[in-house]
Amino acid sequence: MPIQLSIQARFPFTDRFIPYVLGGGGYYLNSFVLDEEITYAWDILGFDVEEKIENSFGYHFGAGLDFFITGNIAINADFKYC
């Protein structure tokens, strides 16, 4: 689960179309559980499978577009790489 802080730069194309870019950083709460069937198969072969996942800091960036239907209601589409 990411906890992120972003900054956006908006570039009003018209009153209705407003593209933007964003970037920032965050803290990522990572968790992972190995499937018992997979670990059992490796145990039969004599391997002990363990996975250790730690929380970490990271960054993200992206871009998007707001399309205003009315003055107060908009549809948003965006892409973010974390």
Side-chain angles (χ1 to χ4, degrees), residues 15-79:
D15 289 341
R16 298 182 77 155
F17 291 97
I18 301 177
Y20 61 88
V21 294
L22 63 89
Y27 188 70
Y28 297 85
L29 305 170
N30 301 312
S31 67
F32 183 79
V33 177
L34 289 172
D35 188 357
E36 290 181 20
E37 292 178 12
I38 294 172
T39 56
Y40 178 73
W42 284 105
D43 285 341
I44 291 173
L45 296 173
F47 294 97
D48 184 26
V49 178
E50 291 184 22
E51 188 70 35
K52 183 176 180 183
I53 303 295
E54 296 181 0
N55 297 336
S56 62
F57 290 97
Y59 65 92
H60 60 273
F61 59 88
L65 176 69
D66 289 332
F67 173 69
F68 281 84
I69 299 170
T70 68
N72 295 325
I73 298 174
I75 295 174
N76 173 267
D78 65 0
F79 161 81

